[in-house]
Amino acid sequence: MSVSRARSIRRRFALGALLLAACRDEPVRGSITLELAPLAGEEGEPGCDQPSRLLFEVAACVTLRVCRSDGSACADLSAPDGDHGAAVERLLVPLDRTGRFGFDARLRPALYDVEVTAYDASGAAVAFGRRSSVDLPRERARVRLYRYAASSCAGPRDQDGTSRTPLPRAFHVAVPLPDGDVLLLGGVTGENVPATGLMGGAPVQAAIELYDTDSERFVTLPGRLPRVLFAAVPLPSPARGPYRVRIVGGFEYDPAAPALRFDLQQVASHPRSPVMPGPSPVGGGPARTVDLVYDPLRRTVRFEAADAPGIPAAAANVSSIFSGSPQRAAVLLGIGDPGAAVGPRPMLVGTSFWIDATGMAGAPLRLRAGRFGASVSRIGTAGSLALVWGGNVAATSLVQAQSEAGELVEHGASATVAVRAGEDGLPLPTAWHSATELPEGRVLVAGGLEMQCSGGTGCTQPILTRFVSGGLTVLGHDSTRGVVTGMSIDPGPYRSSAFHTATRLLEVGGEVVLAGGLVEDGAMLPGASDQLVTVNVEATGGAVRALLPTGGLRYARWGHAAAPLPGGRLLVSGGMAYATADRLSLRVLDVAEVVFPATAPLERVDCSAREGGTGIVDASVDSAADGSTGPDF
């Protein structure tokens, strides 16, 4: 008999036994594993590449809730056999140095959500974890707990055990999926990458990874995408998949070829940009548009030719949302010839087009200026306008850069409308900023490299984008006048940055989280930041505050990616950091963090107390050898 057939027979036998036990109202055994996410960098805390601390070192007791995933009911829980009391929906269980506790529960085979809150010796809540859609009691539920108001190490890779961190990557794309998982695509990898002069470069990261939000683990998927500077447009897909993501533009590279080169002093590149694509992409130019199709049930990836005639190929970025009515996304294409990265301005192209919900693309529309490091975002309430902002790094003068600070792209129009800086409250143009779409058709523009004079009478020489000084501005569209307007926000604790991320958290209205980035710190080369601030544009005049009272990211980084997770959390992955103290060498990070900004509940519990009741299912957990807490059976 084959191994697979034997497993199938055992699985069917186990399911039959569970159903029979449920019908007879007999005990059914389940199990739960708890693990505590490390706070890397703090005294006594392991790094993200090390096993977690034992839970009992931080917590004195936990509370447990087990509820049906469909919301129909919560299970009755009680203390283990021999110490029964009244059954409760939320069970408090003390922990000892073994980390072992037991409980009884009435569970029938179904999908359950498991919630665990940990409390310290004073009774204050210190950590929380939630696992969704667990097939209890057949499946062991592993729950990863995260400290409140902190950024903790994301879960390890769920594979061959050679590493406890995700693959190193930077300048990649993180694509949130309808089921809450996140795809990590493309970007670069490498160590000891020169930071100046466009020398050497970072090779491409071709592996495709998935962050599984249920298991809190990274999984390497089959397939390869050796591409940088591309756009990933999630097309509307069924809730349970397969999910279709349109991959537009960018450049593909062989494994040994430099995919990105760096010039943080901005003296070697033309236009003056701190990041440039490698000179020798596969095929000699931009990559073709394809659809990535991911099946979450089979964990498979395939690529299909995109039915999108007329889409030109070039470096790209994209407006982030396919929502509202009508459903459209705007795509901006920038640099066209990476081989001319130290050559003439024709390397820059300026093209935009719209993609509808079916994936069909409209006719490309030529922009007034070639742009690199620009943003594109939908603006206004009609759903047919997009704002292309900044990135005019090839302008021959500051006057030209300001007069072509941005462009309005209307769906179906034959030409764009110029947007001038300095009018109607608009800020100076920037490059490598962030532009985040907000409710009511507004856009939050944060940070970026401001365009400055490089010398010459009347500032007629090519501009520089070296100075990180862009602030915070909310842009809107005045439909009556047909113009873009701006309102500046007091930056508060925000340090102006470039190559940061700006993310709207799920289930949180207009709040945007700004994470990491390059900042000016007085040194010859800019520094990497660990900042985490939230911008609430719903408040009068806007409000900016530190997201976490205990600090920022565990690792300072820039060129990373961020994606919202269920429950108001944020996944921050990869990015660049300096490899040497003199900042002349860079390395790509292989660590990810989960930011959990929720404030701990004010309630306190008595960890010496015990609640219990008569139950049917026995389960217990204890200290596992790998530093987590695990079942004792």
Side-chain angles (χ1 to χ4, degrees), residues 318-385:
V318 62
S319 69
S320 57
I321 342 183
F322 246 121
S323 62
S325 180
Q327 292 187 332
R328 298 191 186 107
V331 176
L332 166 67
L333 300 177
I335 193 168
D337 180 9
V342 292
R345 293 186 185 88
M347 64 173 288
L348 290 181
V349 298
T351 306
S352 66
F353 59 90
W354 293 84
I355 294 179
D356 65 20
T358 66
M360 295 302 296
L365 185 62
R366 186 173 182 83
L367 300 180
R368 295 170 176 265
R371 300 176 186 272
F372 191 44
S375 63
V376 58
S377 48
R378 299 196 311 178
I379 193 169
T381 57
S384 59
L385 279 179

Side-chain angles (χ1 to χ4, degrees), residues 385 398 423:
L385 279 179
L398 188 61
E423 298 180 354

Side-chain angles (χ1 to χ4, degrees), residues 48-49 144 153-159 162-169 172 184 189 205 207-211 216-220 555 557 571-575 588-593:
C48 287
D49 58 344
R144 187 173 178 88
C153 300
R157 292 177 63 198
D158 194 15
Q159 280 163 310
T162 58
S163 173
R164 294 186 60 86
T165 57
L167 298 174
R169 68 176 76 224
H172 55 292
L184 302 180
T189 185
Q205 174 59 271
I208 299 173
E209 281 183 292
L210 177 82
Y211 181 72
E216 307 274 7
R217 294 292 191 266
F218 289 90
V219 180
T220 303
Y555 293 84
R557 60 182 84 206
L571 174 69
V572 178
S573 62
V588 177
L589 294 175
D590 64 348
V591 291
E593 307 178 39

